[in-house]
Amino acid sequence: MRKAIYAGTFDPITLGHLDVILRGARIFDELTVAVAADSGKNPLFTPEERAGLIRKCTAEIANVKVETFSGLLVEYARRAKVNVIVRGLRTVSDFEYEMQMALTNRRLAEDIETIFMMPKQDYSYVSSTNVRQIAELGGCLRSFVPEPVAEAMETKLNS
Ligand code: COA
């Protein structure tokens, strides 16, 4: 069985992430979307809230699982017995950072391979940060995130 982990902060999941998930789910028999508790960011949603939103958005994709993890990604992958990490590559500017992370992860765990997938061009400029900013400033989120995420952001920011 070919398994892979698509790891990220997902604060929140966007249509760009979902596009990578759909592509990954076509290639792998099982794709685990792994929500990092320790990504060095200061997230709006808790890891459980982020995972819950991803579950809602991927409920129809049978071979996708969603989990949260703390600590190093490669250690989590080892515990899960998965040796492929999927990352999205949106633009050339993502490349340097992604290469650094892939090579660092390789140094930490030679047996784990990182592969890159390009989301649809329409989503190449979308990031979780700009989605959060649009939400905070009252803009329309519907072209950037799935409906359950738009609703959750509105609820969170109005509470
Ligand atoms: N569609 C939309 N946005 C996308 C995207 C896509 N297809 N692909 C990437 N992005 C965005 C993300 O939303 C994120 O936006 P943000 O910075 O506004 O939040 C950004 O691009 C990517 O951020 P980045 O920091 O590269 O990745 P991440 O936050 O998604 O995930 C982890 C980073 C969690 C994988 C990494 O921090 C990690 O592995 N942490 C665990 C600890 C560890 O092992 N550290 C050592 C790593 S070498």
Side-chain angles (χ1 to χ4, degrees), residues 73-117:
L73 173 57
V74 290
E75 293 301 334
Y76 164 74
R78 278 200 172 130
R79 284 197 301 277
K81 297 194 175 14
V82 176
N83 63 1
V84 180
I85 293 170
V86 170
R87 293 282 296 166
L89 207 50
R90 291 165 300 172
T91 55
V92 174
S93 56
D94 279 347
F95 180 76
E96 202 169 314
Y97 171 74
E98 289 298 335
M99 190 178 77
Q100 242 181 43
M101 188 150 64
L103 294 179
T104 306
N105 280 334
R106 181 180 285 167
R107 177 55 64 93
L108 291 168
E110 290 285 339
D111 51 321
I112 296 178
E113 211 56 64
T114 302
I115 68 157
F116 297 97
M117 302 194 72

Short mmCIF file of all heavy atoms in Angstrom, two decimals, residues 73-117:
data_model
loop_
_atom_site.label_atom_id
_atom_site.label_comp_id
_atom_site.label_asym_id
_atom_site.label_seq_id
_atom_site.Cartn_x
_atom_site.Cartn_y
_atom_site.Cartn_z
N LEU A 73 8.38 16.34 12.28
CA LEU A 73 7.59 15.67 11.24
C LEU A 73 8.16 14.28 10.90
O LEU A 73 7.40 13.32 10.74
CB LEU A 73 7.56 16.58 10.00
CG LEU A 73 6.93 16.02 8.74
CD1 LEU A 73 5.49 15.59 8.98
CD2 LEU A 73 6.99 17.05 7.61
N VAL A 74 9.47 14.18 10.80
CA VAL A 74 10.05 12.89 10.41
C VAL A 74 9.82 11.82 11.49
O VAL A 74 9.64 10.65 11.18
CB VAL A 74 11.55 12.98 10.05
CG1 VAL A 74 11.76 13.73 8.75
CG2 VAL A 74 12.37 13.58 11.17
N GLU A 75 9.77 12.26 12.76
CA GLU A 75 9.51 11.29 13.84
C GLU A 75 8.06 10.82 13.76
O GLU A 75 7.76 9.64 13.96
CB GLU A 75 9.78 11.91 15.22
CG GLU A 75 11.24 12.23 15.47
CD GLU A 75 12.15 11.00 15.38
OE1 GLU A 75 11.66 9.89 15.61
OE2 GLU A 75 13.33 11.17 15.04
N TYR A 76 7.19 11.77 13.46
CA TYR A 76 5.77 11.41 13.29
C TYR A 76 5.62 10.42 12.12
O TYR A 76 4.92 9.41 12.23
CB TYR A 76 4.94 12.69 13.06
CG TYR A 76 3.58 12.41 12.50
CD1 TYR A 76 2.57 11.87 13.29
CD2 TYR A 76 3.30 12.66 11.16
CE1 TYR A 76 1.32 11.58 12.77
CE2 TYR A 76 2.06 12.37 10.63
CZ TYR A 76 1.08 11.84 11.43
OH TYR A 76 -0.15 11.55 10.90
N ALA A 77 6.32 10.71 11.01
CA ALA A 77 6.24 9.83 9.84
C ALA A 77 6.75 8.43 10.20
O ALA A 77 6.15 7.42 9.80
CB ALA A 77 7.04 10.42 8.69
N ARG A 78 7.82 8.37 10.95
CA ARG A 78 8.37 7.06 11.36
C ARG A 78 7.37 6.29 12.21
O ARG A 78 7.16 5.11 12.00
CB ARG A 78 9.65 7.25 12.14
CG ARG A 78 10.84 7.43 11.23
CD ARG A 78 12.12 7.13 11.96
NE ARG A 78 13.22 7.12 11.03
CZ ARG A 78 14.35 7.79 11.22
NH1 ARG A 78 14.51 8.52 12.31
NH2 ARG A 78 15.30 7.73 10.32
N ARG A 79 6.76 7.02 13.18
CA ARG A 79 5.77 6.36 14.04
C ARG A 79 4.61 5.82 13.20
O ARG A 79 4.08 4.76 13.44
CB ARG A 79 5.21 7.35 15.09
CG ARG A 79 6.13 7.64 16.25
CD ARG A 79 5.36 8.27 17.41
NE ARG A 79 4.68 9.52 17.09
CZ ARG A 79 5.26 10.73 17.08
NH1 ARG A 79 6.51 10.85 17.37
NH2 ARG A 79 4.55 11.81 16.77
N ALA A 80 4.23 6.59 12.17
CA ALA A 80 3.10 6.19 11.31
C ALA A 80 3.52 5.16 10.25
O ALA A 80 2.68 4.67 9.49
CB ALA A 80 2.51 7.42 10.65
N LYS A 81 4.84 4.87 10.19
CA LYS A 81 5.40 3.94 9.19
C LYS A 81 5.10 4.40 7.75
O LYS A 81 4.68 3.63 6.89
CB LYS A 81 4.87 2.51 9.42
CG LYS A 81 5.29 1.93 10.76
CD LYS A 81 5.06 0.45 10.80
CE LYS A 81 5.55 -0.26 12.04
NZ LYS A 81 5.91 0.51 13.22
N VAL A 82 5.29 5.70 7.54
CA VAL A 82 5.10 6.29 6.20
C VAL A 82 6.42 6.93 5.80
O VAL A 82 7.03 7.65 6.60
CB VAL A 82 3.97 7.35 6.23
CG1 VAL A 82 3.82 8.03 4.88
CG2 VAL A 82 2.64 6.72 6.66
N ASN A 83 6.88 6.65 4.56
CA ASN A 83 8.19 7.22 4.20
C ASN A 83 8.12 8.22 3.04
O ASN A 83 9.13 8.50 2.41
CB ASN A 83 9.22 6.12 3.95
CG ASN A 83 8.84 5.25 2.79
OD1 ASN A 83 7.80 5.48 2.16
ND2 ASN A 83 9.64 4.26 2.47
N VAL A 84 6.94 8.77 2.80
CA VAL A 84 6.82 9.84 1.79
C VAL A 84 6.11 11.05 2.41
O VAL A 84 5.04 10.91 2.99
CB VAL A 84 6.04 9.37 0.54
CG1 VAL A 84 5.94 10.50 -0.48
CG2 VAL A 84 6.67 8.14 -0.09
N ILE A 85 6.76 12.20 2.25
CA ILE A 85 6.15 13.47 2.68
C ILE A 85 5.79 14.25 1.42
O ILE A 85 6.64 14.42 0.54
CB ILE A 85 7.13 14.30 3.55
CG1 ILE A 85 7.39 13.59 4.89
CG2 ILE A 85 6.59 15.70 3.78
CD1 ILE A 85 8.52 14.21 5.70
N VAL A 86 4.56 14.70 1.34
CA VAL A 86 4.12 15.52 0.20
C VAL A 86 4.13 16.98 0.64
O VAL A 86 3.66 17.31 1.72
CB VAL A 86 2.69 15.13 -0.23
CG1 VAL A 86 2.13 16.13 -1.25
CG2 VAL A 86 2.64 13.72 -0.79
N ARG A 87 4.67 17.84 -0.22
CA ARG A 87 4.57 19.28 0.01
C ARG A 87 4.10 19.94 -1.27
O ARG A 87 4.41 19.48 -2.37
CB ARG A 87 5.94 19.86 0.40
CG ARG A 87 6.46 19.39 1.73
CD ARG A 87 5.82 20.09 2.91
NE ARG A 87 6.12 21.51 2.92
CZ ARG A 87 5.45 22.38 3.69
NH1 ARG A 87 4.46 21.99 4.48
NH2 ARG A 87 5.77 23.66 3.67
N GLY A 88 3.34 21.03 -1.13
CA GLY A 88 2.89 21.78 -2.30
C GLY A 88 3.95 22.80 -2.68
O GLY A 88 4.60 23.38 -1.82
N LEU A 89 4.12 22.99 -3.98
CA LEU A 89 5.06 23.99 -4.48
C LEU A 89 4.26 24.94 -5.36
O LEU A 89 3.82 24.56 -6.44
CB LEU A 89 6.14 23.27 -5.29
CG LEU A 89 7.52 23.88 -5.41
CD1 LEU A 89 8.11 24.28 -4.08
CD2 LEU A 89 8.44 22.92 -6.13
N ARG A 90 4.05 26.16 -4.85
CA ARG A 90 3.17 27.07 -5.59
C ARG A 90 3.92 27.88 -6.63
O ARG A 90 3.49 28.00 -7.77
CB ARG A 90 2.48 28.03 -4.61
CG ARG A 90 1.47 27.34 -3.71
CD ARG A 90 1.10 28.24 -2.56
NE ARG A 90 2.28 28.57 -1.77
CZ ARG A 90 2.31 29.46 -0.80
NH1 ARG A 90 1.23 30.14 -0.51
NH2 ARG A 90 3.43 29.68 -0.13
N THR A 91 5.02 28.46 -6.22
CA THR A 91 5.77 29.35 -7.12
C THR A 91 7.26 29.11 -6.89
O THR A 91 7.65 28.43 -5.95
CB THR A 91 5.49 30.83 -6.78
OG1 THR A 91 5.78 31.01 -5.40
CG2 THR A 91 4.06 31.23 -7.06
N VAL A 92 8.07 29.74 -7.74
CA VAL A 92 9.53 29.61 -7.61
C VAL A 92 9.96 30.07 -6.22
O VAL A 92 10.87 29.51 -5.61
CB VAL A 92 10.23 30.45 -8.70
CG1 VAL A 92 11.73 30.47 -8.50
CG2 VAL A 92 9.90 29.88 -10.07
N SER A 93 9.28 31.09 -5.69
CA SER A 93 9.70 31.62 -4.37
C SER A 93 9.52 30.61 -3.25
O SER A 93 10.15 30.72 -2.20
CB SER A 93 8.96 32.92 -4.06
OG SER A 93 7.58 32.68 -4.12
N ASP A 94 8.67 29.61 -3.42
CA ASP A 94 8.54 28.55 -2.41
C ASP A 94 9.76 27.62 -2.42
O ASP A 94 10.04 26.94 -1.44
CB ASP A 94 7.32 27.64 -2.71
CG ASP A 94 6.01 28.24 -2.24
OD1 ASP A 94 6.04 29.22 -1.47
OD2 ASP A 94 4.95 27.71 -2.63
N PHE A 95 10.46 27.60 -3.57
CA PHE A 95 11.43 26.53 -3.79
C PHE A 95 12.57 26.49 -2.78
O PHE A 95 12.88 25.45 -2.21
CB PHE A 95 12.00 26.61 -5.22
CG PHE A 95 13.00 25.54 -5.49
CD1 PHE A 95 12.60 24.24 -5.73
CD2 PHE A 95 14.36 25.81 -5.46
CE1 PHE A 95 13.53 23.23 -5.94
CE2 PHE A 95 15.30 24.81 -5.66
CZ PHE A 95 14.88 23.51 -5.91
N GLU A 96 13.16 27.66 -2.52
CA GLU A 96 14.35 27.68 -1.66
C GLU A 96 14.01 27.16 -0.26
O GLU A 96 14.72 26.31 0.30
CB GLU A 96 14.90 29.10 -1.60
CG GLU A 96 16.36 29.09 -1.21
CD GLU A 96 17.00 30.44 -1.40
OE1 GLU A 96 16.79 31.06 -2.46
OE2 GLU A 96 17.69 30.86 -0.46
N TYR A 97 12.93 27.66 0.28
CA TYR A 97 12.51 27.26 1.63
C TYR A 97 12.17 25.76 1.66
O TYR A 97 12.55 25.03 2.57
CB TYR A 97 11.31 28.12 2.04
CG TYR A 97 10.64 27.68 3.31
CD1 TYR A 97 11.25 27.91 4.54
CD2 TYR A 97 9.41 27.02 3.29
CE1 TYR A 97 10.65 27.50 5.72
CE2 TYR A 97 8.80 26.61 4.46
CZ TYR A 97 9.42 26.85 5.67
OH TYR A 97 8.81 26.44 6.82
N GLU A 98 11.47 25.32 0.62
CA GLU A 98 11.07 23.91 0.57
C GLU A 98 12.28 22.99 0.43
O GLU A 98 12.33 21.91 1.01
CB GLU A 98 10.09 23.67 -0.59
CG GLU A 98 8.72 24.27 -0.38
CD GLU A 98 7.98 23.68 0.82
OE1 GLU A 98 8.26 22.54 1.23
OE2 GLU A 98 7.12 24.39 1.37
N MET A 99 13.27 23.46 -0.37
CA MET A 99 14.47 22.65 -0.54
C MET A 99 15.21 22.52 0.80
O MET A 99 15.62 21.43 1.19
CB MET A 99 15.39 23.27 -1.59
CG MET A 99 16.53 22.35 -1.98
SD MET A 99 17.57 23.05 -3.24
CE MET A 99 18.52 24.18 -2.29
N GLN A 100 15.29 23.64 1.52
CA GLN A 100 15.93 23.63 2.84
C GLN A 100 15.24 22.62 3.77
O GLN A 100 15.89 21.83 4.43
CB GLN A 100 15.75 25.01 3.46
CG GLN A 100 17.02 25.75 3.74
CD GLN A 100 16.69 27.09 4.38
OE1 GLN A 100 15.83 27.19 5.25
NE2 GLN A 100 17.36 28.11 3.92
N MET A 101 13.93 22.69 3.76
CA MET A 101 13.17 21.81 4.68
C MET A 101 13.33 20.34 4.25
O MET A 101 13.55 19.46 5.08
CB MET A 101 11.70 22.22 4.69
CG MET A 101 10.92 21.50 5.75
SD MET A 101 9.54 22.46 6.37
CE MET A 101 8.55 22.62 4.95
N ALA A 102 13.25 20.09 2.94
CA ALA A 102 13.36 18.71 2.46
C ALA A 102 14.74 18.14 2.79
O ALA A 102 14.87 16.99 3.23
CB ALA A 102 13.11 18.65 0.95
N LEU A 103 15.79 18.96 2.58
CA LEU A 103 17.14 18.46 2.83
C LEU A 103 17.41 18.30 4.33
O LEU A 103 18.10 17.37 4.75
CB LEU A 103 18.19 19.36 2.17
CG LEU A 103 18.14 19.38 0.64
CD1 LEU A 103 19.19 20.31 0.06
CD2 LEU A 103 18.31 17.97 0.04
N THR A 104 16.82 19.17 5.14
CA THR A 104 16.96 19.03 6.60
C THR A 104 16.27 17.75 7.04
O THR A 104 16.82 16.96 7.82
CB THR A 104 16.36 20.25 7.33
OG1 THR A 104 16.94 21.42 6.80
CG2 THR A 104 16.61 20.18 8.82
N ASN A 105 15.08 17.54 6.52
CA ASN A 105 14.35 16.32 6.89
C ASN A 105 15.11 15.07 6.42
O ASN A 105 15.13 14.05 7.09
CB ASN A 105 12.92 16.34 6.32
CG ASN A 105 12.00 17.20 7.17
OD1 ASN A 105 12.23 17.38 8.37
ND2 ASN A 105 10.97 17.74 6.56
N ARG A 106 15.75 15.18 5.25
CA ARG A 106 16.53 14.04 4.75
C ARG A 106 17.72 13.75 5.66
O ARG A 106 18.06 12.61 5.93
CB ARG A 106 17.00 14.30 3.32
CG ARG A 106 17.78 13.13 2.76
CD ARG A 106 18.24 13.40 1.36
NE ARG A 106 17.16 13.30 0.39
CZ ARG A 106 17.26 13.74 -0.86
NH1 ARG A 106 18.37 14.31 -1.28
NH2 ARG A 106 16.26 13.60 -1.69
N ARG A 107 18.36 14.83 6.16
CA ARG A 107 19.49 14.65 7.06
C ARG A 107 19.02 13.97 8.36
O ARG A 107 19.71 13.15 8.94
CB ARG A 107 20.15 16.01 7.34
CG ARG A 107 21.31 16.00 8.31
CD ARG A 107 22.41 15.04 7.91
NE ARG A 107 23.09 15.36 6.67
CZ ARG A 107 24.20 16.07 6.54
NH1 ARG A 107 24.77 16.57 7.60
NH2 ARG A 107 24.75 16.28 5.37
N LEU A 108 17.81 14.35 8.79
CA LEU A 108 17.27 13.76 10.03
C LEU A 108 16.80 12.31 9.81
O LEU A 108 16.85 11.50 10.74
CB LEU A 108 16.07 14.58 10.53
CG LEU A 108 16.37 15.99 11.07
CD1 LEU A 108 15.08 16.78 11.26
CD2 LEU A 108 17.12 15.90 12.40
N ALA A 109 16.36 12.02 8.59
CA ALA A 109 15.80 10.69 8.32
C ALA A 109 16.02 10.36 6.85
O ALA A 109 15.21 10.74 5.99
CB ALA A 109 14.31 10.66 8.66
N GLU A 110 17.11 9.66 6.56
CA GLU A 110 17.51 9.35 5.17
C GLU A 110 16.46 8.51 4.44
O GLU A 110 16.38 8.51 3.21
CB GLU A 110 18.84 8.60 5.15
CG GLU A 110 20.04 9.43 5.55
CD GLU A 110 20.49 10.40 4.45
OE1 GLU A 110 20.16 10.18 3.27
OE2 GLU A 110 21.17 11.38 4.80
N ASP A 111 15.68 7.76 5.19
CA ASP A 111 14.72 6.84 4.57
C ASP A 111 13.41 7.51 4.20
O ASP A 111 12.52 6.89 3.61
CB ASP A 111 14.45 5.67 5.54
CG ASP A 111 14.07 6.16 6.94
OD1 ASP A 111 14.66 7.16 7.41
OD2 ASP A 111 13.16 5.56 7.54
N ILE A 112 13.27 8.78 4.53
CA ILE A 112 12.00 9.46 4.22
C ILE A 112 12.20 10.44 3.06
O ILE A 112 13.12 11.26 3.08
CB ILE A 112 11.45 10.18 5.48
CG1 ILE A 112 11.13 9.11 6.54
CG2 ILE A 112 10.22 11.02 5.16
CD1 ILE A 112 10.63 9.63 7.85
N GLU A 113 11.37 10.32 2.05
CA GLU A 113 11.51 11.10 0.82
C GLU A 113 10.45 12.21 0.79
O GLU A 113 9.30 11.96 1.17
CB GLU A 113 11.29 10.15 -0.35
CG GLU A 113 12.05 10.46 -1.61
CD GLU A 113 13.56 10.54 -1.41
OE1 GLU A 113 14.19 9.53 -1.06
OE2 GLU A 113 14.09 11.64 -1.62
N THR A 114 10.84 13.40 0.33
CA THR A 114 9.84 14.48 0.15
C THR A 114 9.53 14.60 -1.33
O THR A 114 10.45 14.63 -2.16
CB THR A 114 10.39 15.83 0.66
OG1 THR A 114 10.76 15.69 2.02
CG2 THR A 114 9.35 16.92 0.53
N ILE A 115 8.26 14.66 -1.66
CA ILE A 115 7.90 14.92 -3.07
C ILE A 115 7.04 16.18 -3.13
O ILE A 115 6.36 16.53 -2.17
CB ILE A 115 7.20 13.72 -3.74
CG1 ILE A 115 5.81 13.48 -3.16
CG2 ILE A 115 8.02 12.44 -3.68
CD1 ILE A 115 4.94 12.74 -4.14
N PHE A 116 7.10 16.85 -4.28
CA PHE A 116 6.40 18.12 -4.42
C PHE A 116 5.30 18.01 -5.46
O PHE A 116 5.48 17.38 -6.50
CB PHE A 116 7.39 19.22 -4.83
CG PHE A 116 8.44 19.43 -3.77
CD1 PHE A 116 9.68 18.82 -3.87
CD2 PHE A 116 8.15 20.20 -2.65
CE1 PHE A 116 10.63 19.00 -2.87
CE2 PHE A 116 9.09 20.37 -1.65
CZ PHE A 116 10.33 19.77 -1.76
N MET A 117 4.18 18.67 -5.16
CA MET A 117 3.07 18.69 -6.11
C MET A 117 2.65 20.14 -6.33
O MET A 117 2.61 20.91 -5.38
CB MET A 117 1.90 17.89 -5.56
CG MET A 117 2.29 16.47 -5.26
SD MET A 117 0.86 15.42 -5.01
CE MET A 117 0.29 15.32 -6.68
#
